[in-house]
Every structure is written in structure tokens, then in C-alpha cells.
Amino acid sequence: MTVTISQTAEIQNFFKEAAGFGNDQGNPRFKQIVLRILQDTAKLIEDLQISDDEFWKAVDYLNRMGSGQEAGLLVAGLGVEHFLDLLQDAKDEQLGLTGGTPRTIEGPLYVAGAPLSEGEARMDDGTDPGTQMFLHGRVLDAAGQPLAGAVVDLWHANTNGTYSYFDGSQSEYNLRRRIVTDAEGRYRARSIVPSGYGCPPSGTTQEVLNQLGRHGQRPAHIHFFISAPGHRHLTTQINLSGDKYLWDDFAYATRDGLIGEVKFIEDAAAAQARGLNGRFAEVEFDFQLQQAKAPTAEQRSQRPRALQA
């Protein structure tokens, strides 16, 4: 037997009261959002005949997800973060804002305040035995001209697939740097080839993915914030070629135009010229920014992010 009461005037008025519509205090926008959450939750419970046991298991899940700080991982894994990119793409297209390097998800592992360098930087602290990687490229404007003074803020995982700050075994800001482009719009970074990673096997995100019959693996990738005066801020990442999960990224971050081609170089003379004894890798990737139509477009979102002490 299906019983529905959520659309009755009595219940709708009850939800409005719960959402604070009976007073003139608080935040009107927040009240509107909470009311919609209450209405949609009630309709979901009725339409799918959610049992009490299912409901309270969901509440328990939210408690455990919060304590494990996996909310950012879950919204990526369920494709919600990618949906936000697709929605913004559609808004841009409607406004005629096209061209430039594609955006893609930020992910939950950015840390603000990385060391700032002019033109080039070494990102690794020398303790990871991974293959040395030389990453370089240019930042260009909409007309393809180099942008001097652009800030390339980049971060990536180590060979174990973990990130500094979230992995206490790594040094402060390991594999995290900000580089100001030179007069030719170039940036250069020496680092190590990162590894992909998976969701914590016993974590709450993988718990959901298991119920969906999905894996929780990401390909090797490098995150970027690119910014320059007069240009739209770009949040993006490049997924590295040759990875098993390149086009099977659980976070749906791989997009056309965002594949970083990794060239492994075995030449001893070339290695010696770079002060190395063996094999190394090169990745070249250019970024093209759109012109900012308003000053606010130059700034990244106000999404809360970790700040290293």
C-alpha cells in the first residue's frame, strides 16, 4: 500500500515552518534551499517507499562519511562535480564563451599557500624513488599569445598515490608549487611521475561504489589552477597518457584536450645533461585562457580549501 502525504497543505506548511519561513530572521536563500531539500526528501521517501531501516542507515552513513572527511570524494565519484563542469560549459556556450583549455574537476585535495617561484620550480623533495619528470609548457591568451606573469598553481600525488598534507609522511608542500610564467609565458617544473590512486578500500565512498558495482580508481594526473590578470580563472587537470584508467576515471575528470602525453627518455646523454643517471620523463602542456568579461571571472570559486599551517 502506498501512502502519500507530502503534498498536502498541512505537510507543506510544516516544512515551511521547519525551514524558518515563520520568522524574519536568518538567511532567505538558505531557507529556500532547506525547504526544497525537505520537500524532495519527503517525495523520495514516498515514491521509493523508503523503509525506516533504510532511512536510518542513510543517516548513519552521512555521520560516518563526515567523520572520514569523504564528502568531497563522494561528490566526485557520483559525478556531481563533473556535472557542475558540464552545467558551466552549457552556460558558457549560451553566452558565447567558447575556446581555451577545458575545465575539469578540482577534486578534494588542494592545499592553499604552496611556495611561489619565478619561471620554474622543483616540486619533489628528493625522497620519492619515482621517475624524474620534467613538466613544461606555456600559458596563452585567447589569441594564442604568451601570457607573462600568469600563475600556474599545480599539485599531484606521489608514487604511492597520496598527497602531502593529507599524507603525514610527506614533507610540507611536497609536490605542490606555484610558478609565475616568464616573459614568454613559460612555466617549468621538475618533479616525479605521479601514480593514480583509489578510494580508501574501507572508506564510505568505496562503500557506495561497491553497491553500484563500480571501481574507485583514478588515472595518474596533475591538477592545475591557472590565473592571469584580465583572464578567466581556469581549474583543470591533465590525466597522463598510457594509464589503465585514463578513460575509466571513477571521478569522470578525463576530457578531450586534457591528456598529458608522457615521453619516457632512455638516452644516457640526455639524462646526464639534466644531472640524472637514468631514465626520465617529459610532459609538455600548454594552457589557453579565455578573456574575463568581468573582474569576478578572474577569481577561483570560494569553495573551502585546506590551508597548511
Side-chain angles (χ1 to χ4, degrees), residues 4-15:
T4 60
I5 62 171
S6 66
Q7 299 305 310
T8 64
E10 181 182 3
I11 297 298
Q12 289 296 310
N13 289 333
F14 167 62
F15 285 155

Side-chain angles (χ1 to χ4, degrees), residues 13-267:
N13 289 333
F14 167 62
F15 285 155
K16 287 180 180 179
E17 171 63 26
F21 279 80
N23 67 74
D24 57 2
Q25 305 300 309
N27 184 310
R29 171 67 171 171
F30 189 72
K31 292 181 181 183
Q32 181 184 37
I33 292 170
V34 169
L35 177 61
R36 180 62 179 269
I37 290 172
L38 293 173
Q39 292 170 333
D40 287 357
T41 299
K43 191 170 189 308
L44 171 68
I45 290 171
E46 290 178 338
D47 288 352
L48 297 183
Q49 300 183 48
I50 303 297
S51 69
D52 285 357
D53 285 347
E54 288 173 326
F55 177 83
W56 290 111
K57 283 180 180 178
V59 172
D60 175 67
Y61 175 84
L62 292 175
N63 285 333
R64 291 186 289 109
M65 178 186 64
S67 64
Q69 298 186 23
E70 286 200 24
L73 199 60
L74 181 66
V75 296
L78 291 180
V80 179
E81 194 171 3
H82 180 56
F83 166 76
L84 294 177
D85 285 338
L86 297 178
L87 180 60
Q88 189 59 55
D89 288 349
K91 291 179 180 179
D92 286 354
E93 184 176 3
Q94 190 174 68
L95 294 172
L97 300 174
T98 58
T101 301
R103 63 171 54 86
T104 196
I105 71 170
E106 175 184 327
L109 300 172
Y110 176 74
V111 175
L116 183 67
S117 301
E118 297 287 336
E120 59 185 302
R122 179 162 182 176
M123 298 180 64
D124 67 301
D125 61 10
T127 62
D128 195 306
T131 302
Q132 288 290 299
M133 174 182 69
F134 294 89
L135 170 66
H136 59 97
R138 297 180 300 164
V139 178
L140 308 170
D141 65 15
Q145 297 302 306
L147 280 171
V151 177
V152 178
D153 193 342
L154 65 162
W155 68 101
H156 65 76
N158 64 6
T159 55
N160 292 322
T162 60
Y163 289 75
S164 60
Y165 182 86
F166 301 92
D167 171 10
S169 70
Q170 296 186 48
S171 61
E172 184 178 64
Y173 290 114
N174 187 42
L175 308 176
R176 300 178 185 273
R177 289 295 184 273
R178 290 177 294 158
I179 304 172
V180 179
T181 58
D182 65 17
E184 297 178 336
R186 295 190 178 277
Y187 71 94
R188 300 174 182 85
R190 175 177 170 175
S191 193
I192 55 169
V193 177
S195 294
Y197 64 85
C199 296
S202 58
T204 52
T205 301
Q206 191 59 55
E207 180 180 335
V208 167
L209 295 175
N210 288 341
Q211 292 294 320
L212 300 176
R214 293 178 49 207
H215 70 74
Q217 300 296 315
R218 292 220 60 203
H221 57 281
I222 304 169
H223 295 269
F224 294 88
F225 286 154
I226 313 290
S227 57
H231 294 80
R232 294 185 79 187
H233 170 82
L234 174 66
T235 296
T236 195
Q237 61 184 274
I238 58 173
N239 284 3
L240 300 185
S241 62
D243 194 287
K244 174 182 178 181
Y245 294 102
L246 179 60
W247 291 104
D248 190 20
D249 181 354
F250 98 95
Y252 304 102
T254 306
R255 306 191 73 177
D256 289 331
L258 292 177
I259 309 302
E261 295 295 334
V262 186
K263 297 180 180 178
F264 289 98
I265 300 171
E266 310 281 354
D267 185 273

